[in-house]
Amino acid sequence: MVDAKGKSMKCLTFFLMLPETVKNRSRKGPKKGTPSNSSKLSPVCYEIITLKTKKKKKMAAEIFPSKKTGNSNSNSVQQYHQQNLNNNNTIPSPNWQGLYATIRERNSVMFNNDLMADVHFVVGPPGGTQRLPGHKYVLAVGSSVFHAMFYGELAEDKDEIRIPDVEPAAFLAMLKYLYCDEIDLAADTVLATLYAAKKYIVPHLARACVNFLETSLSAKNACVLLSQSCLFEEPDLTQRCWEVIDAQAELALKSEGFCDIDFQTLESILKRETLNAKEIVVFEAALCWAEVECQRQELTASIENKRKVLGKALYLIRIPTMALDDFANGAAQSGVLTLNETNDIFLWYTAAKKPELEFVSKIRKGLVPQRCHRFQSCAYRSNQWRYRGRCDSIQFAVDKRVFIAGFGLYGSSCGSAEYSAKIELKRQGVLLGQNLSKYFSDGSSNTFPVWFEYPVQIEPDTFYTASVVLDGNELSYFGQEGMTEVQCGKVTVQFQCSSDSTNGTGVQGGQIPELIFYA
């Protein structure tokens, strides 16, 4: 067993089985014990998993929105809860039970209360422990692990149980659920609470933790949550993390959380075929990770040590697929590559007979964008569609989370022309993404893509506002026979008019014929 500082410590043995879904992947952790008798529960050592460092806790609090869920209760019970959190509950009268109409309310009074407590837990690592009271019956009713601990065939009658691998705040959150039937999650403890729920097999609390993480998921924390979801064997959360990382790869790779992932997660990201990022961004992110890893291993952040900690993962970066300028001005001058590697890659770009390389030389597939076209036809007239600095805007909502990459726009109806387009994406007036770029229209009725710098994450069942201000040829094509609802693959998109539109665009006709997105 390994403590929070990475030092060896003796195994703490409980007579119960650990949940099968939580497997310790730490290379430093001890192996699980082998049952001596398959017909009985055998003693198994708890394996400690270090979930988060202090630095990571601070980061999680910054990138997760503060959110709490739970059932409302009476004011008197809430008052007891506040007292119980400090473990100083006092009973006002001998007949306190008569104050509460339900068993749940009476059990709530017992939460973190020494009254009638028949077991105590010393929770947390050495130097940060907290002594918490418990009631065996209540705990056994809520968790099969506690039932085996207190009432199983090999149960031990201990007055005090030490749990060094669970954070006190997370253990309290689990106890509150078991006693009060309330789920109270916080951004900086949700991962630790998930670990406690997995360890003691409290599946509904574990599901609530996963839901909390999924709703808080963004490019800033996707890499960290990917690492944790693999640890906790939560495939749905893992898949959601990959969706965000694939679609918003450059944002995810540039996030602070990327540098906090473990080596195994780093390899899985660098191998990712559908990573939607320039290879130079992948290379720079790997170097940032290597610098932080040197600090974790107490090494100087020299070029040699960065390459050392990257190891064979360096060859997963598809350097030969970079643009020549990116390679020449970036990777070739980083110092991480040897002279022979640099020379061979330059030959790979220019020579007819290409040398063999250890680096992967196949371009990543990335993601294929989908296009939602909302008009059934288009047209042009001699006096339309004019712009003159006015805004074309439309509102839309989706039934699944997607990532808007850009808009498809109409172009000139009078021959080829160049347009300057300022595109924006808002939610309830808050700007989520914008870009100013140019596109060339060839005079046809085709649509022409205009991209955001980074794809914007769109949540389901909420209306967003897509807007564009065009500057260019005054006469262009415009859409007709608009649809209020469009099925695009597995995503249903609804449209409605926007009050921001000052140039005539609406559901039935106008500009912004296409939404370009990843799903």
Side-chain angles (χ1 to χ4, degrees):
M1 184 175 291
V2 179
D3 67 8
K5 297 181 180 179
K7 298 180 181 179
S8 299
M9 61 183 292
K10 293 183 179 180
C11 245
L12 180 62
T13 305
F14 291 121
F15 294 97
L16 52 98
M17 293 299 293
L18 283 176
E20 290 294 328
T21 55
V22 182
K23 296 180 181 177
N24 191 339
R25 299 184 181 179
S26 172
R27 290 187 287 271
K28 297 181 181 179
K31 297 181 179 179
K32 294 184 180 178
T34 303
S36 58
N37 188 341
S38 60
S39 64
K40 297 181 179 181
L41 292 172
S42 303
V44 180
C45 292
Y46 283 128
E47 298 178 305
I48 297 177
I49 302 174
T50 302
L51 291 175
K52 303 283 283 181
T53 64
K54 290 184 178 179
K55 178 179 178 183
K56 291 183 181 179
K57 288 182 185 175
K58 180 179 179 182
M59 180 197 67
E62 292 172 350
I63 60 182
F64 287 133
S66 178
K67 181 179 180 181
K68 293 185 179 181
T69 58
N71 298 323
S72 61
N73 208 338
S74 65
N75 292 333
S76 58
V77 175
Q78 290 295 343
Q79 181 181 359
Y80 277 126
H81 286 177
Q82 185 60 42
Q83 294 174 342
N84 289 351
L85 288 174
N86 298 320
N87 196 18
N88 62 355
N89 180 264
T90 57
I91 301 302
S93 68
N95 189 29
W96 62 269
Q97 294 90 340
L99 299 174
Y100 306 102
T102 66
I103 293 176
R104 184 176 69 83
E105 290 177 323
R106 292 192 286 275
N107 277 345
S108 296
V109 176
M110 293 294 99
F111 165 58
N112 200 18
N113 195 330
D114 273 309
L115 181 68
M116 296 186 289
D118 49 5
V119 67
H120 283 81
F121 300 94
V122 180
V123 185
T129 59
Q130 187 173 344
R131 194 170 187 268
L132 303 174
H135 305 77
K136 293 181 179 180
Y137 168 76
V138 177
L139 298 173
V141 169
S143 163
S144 59
V145 175
F146 282 127
H147 183 273
M149 184 186 297
F150 302 133
Y151 301 107
E153 294 182 7
L154 300 178
E156 286 188 358
D157 188 15
K158 290 185 177 181
D159 294 331
E160 187 173 276
I161 297 173
R162 295 187 176 273
I163 307 177
D165 59 327
V166 177
E167 295 180 11
F171 197 80
L172 270 172
M174 182 179 68
L175 292 184
K176 187 170 185 179
Y177 171 73
L178 295 178
Y179 279 83
C180 310
D181 196 26
E182 293 183 12
I183 296 175
D184 192 354
L185 301 175
D188 56 347
T189 58
V190 62
L191 284 169
T193 304
L194 176 58
Y195 172 63
K198 287 280 190 175
K199 176 175 180 175
Y200 292 101
I201 313 182
V202 187
H204 298 292
L205 178 60
R207 185 66 251 170
C209 291
V210 172
N211 290 338
F212 183 96
L213 292 170
E214 286 182 347
T215 56
S216 306
L217 185 60
S218 69
K220 293 181 179 180
N221 57 40
C223 294
V224 172
L225 292 185
L226 174 66
S227 177
Q228 300 292 348
S229 67
C230 293
L231 173 67
F232 291 124
E233 295 189 343
E234 286 290 342
D236 291 341
L237 180 57
T238 299
Q239 178 59 33
R240 286 290 302 111
C241 290
W242 277 125
E243 290 174 4
V244 174
I245 293 171
D246 281 343
Q248 297 181 302
E250 294 194 359
L251 285 175
L253 293 171
K254 292 178 180 179
S255 68
E256 183 181 349
F258 178 78
C259 295
D260 292 321
I261 62 178
D262 58 86
F263 183 78
Q264 184 178 355
T265 305
L266 173 72
E267 284 189 311
S268 66
I269 293 175
L270 296 183
K271 290 177 182 176
R272 190 75 174 171
E273 188 69 28
T274 49
L275 207 61
N276 197 35
K278 295 178 182 178
E279 209 63 32
I280 186 63
V281 176
V282 179
F283 178 80
E284 291 171 349
L287 289 188
C288 290
W289 179 90
E291 183 173 350
V292 176
E293 181 65 14
C294 285
Q295 297 173 8
R296 285 192 286 262
Q297 297 187 21
E298 298 182 352
L299 301 171
T300 58
S302 64
I303 296 298
E304 293 76 12
N305 286 335
K306 288 181 183 180
R307 175 155 183 145
K308 178 182 177 182
V309 297
L310 281 172
K312 292 185 178 180
L314 178 64
Y315 298 111
L316 299 175
I317 305 172
R318 307 188 182 192
I319 295 178
T321 68
M322 289 181 185
L324 181 56
D325 287 347
D326 288 340
F327 174 71
N329 297 316
Q333 298 187 44
S334 66
V336 175
L337 305 178
T338 66
L339 289 176
N340 285 337
E341 288 170 343
T342 303
N343 182 67
D344 285 347
I345 294 173
F346 268 121
L347 290 175
W348 174 270
Y349 283 109
T350 57
K353 184 178 181 181
K354 301 184 183 299
E356 292 186 4
L357 300 175
E358 290 190 70
F359 295 93
V360 179
S361 57
K362 182 181 178 182
I363 297 176
R364 299 180 196 270
K365 292 181 180 178
L367 294 177
V368 178
Q370 300 184 43
R371 297 192 176 211
C372 175
H373 197 91
R374 66 189 189 94
F375 295 126
Q376 299 181 66
S377 65
C378 69
Y380 68 91
R381 296 174 188 163
S382 60
N383 62 344
Q384 291 185 353
W385 192 266
R386 297 182 182 273
Y387 299 105
R388 298 179 182 177
R390 293 188 293 263
C391 178
D392 288 288
S393 184
I394 191 71
Q395 287 192 321
F396 69 94
V398 294
D399 63 342
K400 293 180 176 62
R401 182 179 293 178
V402 300
F403 302 86
I404 297 293
F407 305 146
L409 303 176
Y410 287 123
S412 170
S413 60
C414 302
S416 60
E418 186 178 66
Y419 285 87
S420 175
K422 180 182 179 181
I423 59 173
E424 292 183 343
L425 192 59
K426 295 180 181 179
R427 177 181 180 180
Q428 297 177 347
V430 178
L431 185 64
L432 303 178
Q434 66 176 355
N435 198 19
L436 179 62
S437 61
K438 295 182 179 181
Y439 69 95
F440 182 78
S441 166
D442 60 7
S444 70
S445 60
N446 296 330
T447 58
F448 304 93
V450 179
W451 308 94
F452 289 105
E453 183 178 5
Y454 302 111
V456 180
Q457 182 170 303
I458 301 298
E459 299 297 333
D461 305 322
T462 301
F463 273 95
Y464 292 77
T465 303
S467 302
V468 59
V469 176
L470 288 169
D471 182 19
N473 195 316
E474 283 290 293
L475 300 178
S476 77
Y477 287 92
F478 60 93
Q480 295 185 134
E481 299 179 278
M483 296 172 284
T484 57
E485 183 174 296
V486 180
Q487 187 72 30
C488 188
K490 296 181 179 180
V491 179
T492 301
V493 187
Q494 292 182 325
F495 294 96
Q496 69 180 26
C497 294
S498 168
S499 59
D500 292 347
S501 187
T502 59
N503 198 43
T505 288
V507 173
Q508 297 301 319
Q511 261 286 8
I512 318 180
E514 285 183 338
L515 299 178
I516 306 174
F517 64 93
Y518 301 114

